[in-house]
Amino acid sequence: APAPAPVSTATHLPARSPDARATASALRNHAATIVQAAWRGFVVRAADPQCAAVRREIRFRRMEKHARVLADELQRVRADIRAQRAAHAGQMEQMQQAMNALLLQQQRRAAVIIQKHWRGWRARAAWSDALHQRLAASLTPAQRVQAAAARGERDAFAALCVQLAAQVKQLQQRVAAIETARPAP
């Protein structure tokens, strides 16, 4: 497709009335006056040392005011930080106390469990010892020897043999004492 022919914008502008032309000219003159006034004011202020001193003074006062505002803001921020640190320290203290309480509770529970198991073991051991003593008292020496042999206790068997030998010796001594004390027939 061929490129479109350039369109002249001048033909599409509406026709201006003399009043519209005067208004546009007045507007341009006013804008030029404002630009010229700004430029002339800048040139005069830049060239005049008193004016430059006044501008420096104004700048300095603005900077001082801004510095005071910043200093006040800095103090406020520091106060906020101190308050936050104090609150954080309080929270940390509360957390530490809660952790200590929890640790103490866990230690107490552990101690109770240990004591429970120890006391249970001790009670079972005492009951077992009492049961064995009652059973041992009701056994004859031969039954004791058989029980010790069944448990594989050689030391208990040897001790029982020594005990029985001592009892036999005592009985022999008694018999000998009785025979010597008897008159002859």
Side-chain angles (χ1 to χ4, degrees), residues 49-116:
Q50 285 181 339
C51 194
V54 168
R55 279 191 315 173
R56 279 194 300 273
E57 181 67 25
I58 290 171
R59 254 191 242 124
F60 180 72
R61 287 182 186 168
R62 283 181 185 161
M63 286 177 19
E64 282 181 336
K65 183 179 178 183
H66 188 63
R68 282 192 301 270
V69 168
L70 290 177
D72 292 344
E73 180 69 17
L74 181 61
Q75 287 178 352
R76 187 187 64 74
V77 167
R78 284 181 178 166
D80 287 347
I81 289 172
R82 280 193 298 271
Q84 288 175 357
R85 284 183 180 164
H88 185 259
Q91 290 172 349
M92 289 301 290
E93 180 66 27
Q94 289 175 349
M95 282 179 39
Q96 187 65 37
Q97 289 175 355
M99 290 297 291
N100 289 342
L102 181 63
L103 182 61
L104 183 62
Q105 183 182 16
Q106 288 177 341
Q107 288 175 342
R108 286 184 179 159
R109 282 183 184 168
V112 166
I113 290 171
I114 291 170
Q115 290 172 359
K116 177 180 74 170

